[in-house]
């Protein structure tokens, strides 16, 4: 199991807690990622949202690509996974930006391709928000252009959404043959894009059984498409680690107490503009990306046992959220990570 985390760009992950002591600043983001490298985390995922989906649309949020480039320059080992939404980007320019940041990071920059779900944000920021299937068609063209420009000396493309002619991109990315592409999706169209174009599948939080079904389905889709098996299956999860189970569940109760709907501005678009496999309730939405469904709540040993269940199901990258981030990431690194290794070792004896 590899351990990653969602970089804080919103001031936190909790829609029902106003102040999580996680300032929306570059200084805090830098402290988190540099500390994470020391503690053994291997990857971070940086969101691309122009409105604050957690605390409310009038609250601060940092722009992901600027942040990624800056953090690439002040880190040494950690993989930086930057979200990219084709409805806001020129693919040729994006390919150039990504190649440049890959050089800044010396080959540690990857992309999480997101087709988009928030219609109101698109209206405010000029995104071309079309129907669900059209957004995925656009994503397919977008990715084809990225890969073409990263691998070919001269590349032309004529599609429904994009057209480029005799385009040159130099320098090429450090990574060969191309920069690694992550993506998530629960609709047939979304899974079709992943099975044909991507290198890694990232999932919202789910139960062990839910995730196992998704992984097996994606393996079958990749085989049917004639592609090599995916190397990475990642999952979002929110962690609450405490000395006792009662303390952990008291914290769970605190953060899921829905008192104010200001942080739920994107709830309707997320649940109606996306094709989700599980119905989402407001309590699930209390924490970003269905992070509570994996139930990584309890003592270090309880959480470690749960992680091994996900590992057995095929998950090999956890993208964690916690609050306040620095303190909880350190607790997880020092108490849960070693416990996972200890329990795994005991199982193999």
């Amino acid at each position: 199991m590899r351990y990653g985390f969602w970089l804080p760009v919103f001031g936190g992950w909790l829609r029902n807690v106003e102040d999580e002591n996680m300032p929306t600043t570059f200084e805090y983001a830098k402290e988190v990622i540099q500390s994470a490298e020391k503690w053994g985390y291997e990857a971070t995922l940086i969101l691309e949202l122009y409105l604050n989906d957690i605390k409310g649309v009038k609250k601060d949020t940092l722009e992901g690509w600027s942040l990624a480039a800056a953090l690439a320059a002040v880190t040494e080992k950690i993989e930086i996974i930057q979200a990219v939404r084709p409805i806001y980007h020129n693919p040729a320019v994006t390919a150039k930006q990504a190649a440049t940041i890959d050089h800044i990071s010396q080959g540690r920059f990857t992309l999480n391709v997101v087709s988009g779900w928030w219609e109101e944000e698109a209206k405010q920021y000029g995104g071309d928000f079309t129907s669900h299937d059209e957004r995925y068609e656009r994503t397919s063209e977008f990715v084809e252009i990225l890969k073409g420009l990263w691998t070919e000396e001269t590349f032309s493309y004529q599609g429904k959404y994009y057209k480029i002619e005799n385009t040159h991109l130099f320098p090429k990315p450090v990574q060969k043959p191309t920069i690694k592409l992550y993506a998530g999706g629960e609709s047939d169209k979304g899974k079709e894009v992943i099975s044909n174009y991507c290198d890694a599948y990232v999932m919202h939080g789910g139960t062990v059984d839910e995730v196992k079904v998704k992984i097996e389905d994606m393996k079958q889709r990749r085989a049917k498409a004639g592609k090599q098996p995916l190397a990475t299956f990642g999952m979002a999860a929110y962690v609450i680690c405490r000395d006792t189970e009662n303390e952990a569940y008291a914290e769970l109760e605190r953060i899921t107490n829905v008192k104010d709907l200001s942080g739920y501005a994107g709830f309707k678009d997320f649940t109606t503009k996306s094709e989700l496999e599980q119905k989402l309730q407001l309590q699930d939405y209390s924490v970003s990306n269905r992070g509570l469904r994996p139930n990584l709540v309890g003592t270090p040993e309880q959480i470690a046992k749960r992680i091994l269940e996900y590992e057995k199901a095929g998950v090999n990258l956890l993208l964690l959220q916690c609050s306040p981030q620095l303190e909880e990431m350190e607790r997880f690194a020092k108490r849960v990570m070693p416990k996972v290794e200890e329990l795994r070792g005991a199982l193999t004896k």
Side-chain angles (χ1 to χ4, degrees):
M1 184 68 72
R2 297 172 66 221
Y3 300 103
F5 62 96
W6 297 64
L7 194 81
V9 298
F10 286 141
W13 306 110
L14 305 176
R15 291 184 167 89
N16 305 315
V17 177
E18 184 175 354
D19 185 2
E20 300 180 51
N21 294 313
M22 295 164 60
T24 312
T25 63
F26 170 69
E27 289 75 16
Y28 184 73
K30 182 172 73 170
E31 184 179 7
V32 167
I33 196 170
Q34 289 179 332
S35 298
E37 279 196 323
K38 297 174 185 176
W39 295 330
Y41 291 89
E42 296 183 46
T44 188
L45 175 59
I46 304 179
L47 293 173
E48 181 185 67
L49 283 173
Y50 304 131
L51 296 176
N52 193 323
D53 178 44
I54 304 295
K55 302 301 183 184
V57 296
K58 295 183 180 180
K59 300 295 185 179
D60 292 348
T61 183
L62 299 177
E63 193 280 316
W65 282 76
S66 306
L67 196 59
L71 294 174
V74 297
T75 51
E76 298 177 354
K77 298 179 293 184
I78 202 161
E79 178 184 355
I80 298 172
I81 311 169
Q82 174 59 54
V84 58
R85 295 175 297 168
I87 65 171
Y88 293 103
H89 291 268
N90 174 315
V93 174
T94 301
K96 187 70 171 177
Q97 290 173 309
T100 300
I101 301 176
D102 198 42
H103 278 268
I104 294 171
S105 69
Q106 298 181 331
R108 295 180 288 115
F109 186 68
T110 54
L111 292 178
N112 180 40
V113 184
V114 182
S115 291
W117 54 267
W118 197 351
E119 186 173 12
E120 176 57 33
E121 183 202 36
K123 291 176 182 177
Q124 293 190 29
Y125 278 85
D128 189 10
F129 195 88
T130 52
S131 71
H132 176 274
D133 285 1
E134 287 177 320
R135 296 198 301 277
Y136 276 100
E137 289 172 1
R138 176 190 292 274
T139 295
S140 297
E141 292 191 10
F142 190 89
V143 170
E144 287 176 357
I145 292 173
L146 293 183
K147 291 191 171 185
L149 288 170
W150 288 335
T151 57
E152 298 186 22
E153 184 168 331
T154 303
F155 185 70
S156 298
Y157 190 89
Q158 176 72 58
K160 178 180 177 181
Y161 300 96
Y162 304 110
K163 178 183 177 181
I164 61 173
E165 296 183 8
N166 301 321
T167 306
H168 301 85
L169 189 149
F170 297 99
K172 301 298 185 189
V174 174
Q175 297 170 71
K176 305 298 180 192
T178 71
I179 289 172
K180 184 176 179 180
L181 298 180
Y182 292 74
E186 299 188 350
S187 66
D188 281 337
K189 196 70 174 178
K191 291 177 179 178
E192 178 185 319
V193 171
I194 297 164
S195 61
N196 280 286
Y197 297 104
C198 296
D199 308 295
Y201 185 30
V202 286
M203 300 166 282
H204 291 298
T207 65
V208 172
D209 288 340
E210 288 169 351
V211 168
K212 188 183 299 184
V213 169
K214 290 181 181 180
I215 290 173
E216 290 305 315
D217 175 67
M218 184 54 65
K219 287 180 178 179
Q220 293 175 18
R221 288 173 183 267
R222 289 284 290 188
K224 186 176 180 180
K227 304 289 185 179
Q228 292 293 320
L230 294 177
T232 301
F233 289 95
M235 183 186 71
Y238 188 89
V239 177
I240 303 175
C241 179
R242 296 292 184 271
D243 291 335
T244 68
E245 186 176 11
N246 285 342
E247 288 176 305
Y249 278 92
E251 171 67 1
L252 177 64
E253 176 65 25
R254 182 183 76 89
I255 69 174
T256 56
N257 182 12
V258 181
K259 296 171 289 190
D260 178 5
L261 295 180
S262 62
Y264 291 76
F267 179 73
K268 183 177 179 181
D269 277 357
F270 184 71
T271 53
T272 61
K273 306 299 182 183
S274 304
E275 295 183 10
L276 303 176
E277 290 176 322
Q278 285 87 33
K279 288 186 179 292
L280 193 64
Q281 305 300 322
L282 271 181
Q283 183 168 332
D284 290 321
Y285 204 64
S286 295
V287 169
S288 178
N289 301 93
R290 258 177 274 166
L292 293 176
R293 288 183 77 84
N295 193 31
L296 298 189
V297 179
T299 65
E301 183 163 351
Q302 288 173 322
I303 294 171
K305 287 179 178 178
R306 191 74 167 162
I307 288 171
L308 288 174
E309 291 177 14
Y310 281 101
E311 188 173 274
K312 186 177 179 181
V315 176
N316 55 12
L317 173 64
L318 282 177
L319 291 167
L320 302 175
Q321 298 171 346
C322 48
S323 176
Q325 192 129 347
L326 266 176
E327 294 84 346
E328 295 302 323
M329 283 178 59
E330 182 176 16
R331 188 199 307 260
F332 182 90
K334 293 183 177 180
R335 302 195 60 188
V336 179
M337 288 186 193
K339 183 61 69 172
V340 172
E341 298 305 311
E342 176 188 327
L343 295 177
R344 187 191 290 113
L347 289 172
T348 57
K349 287 182 179 178

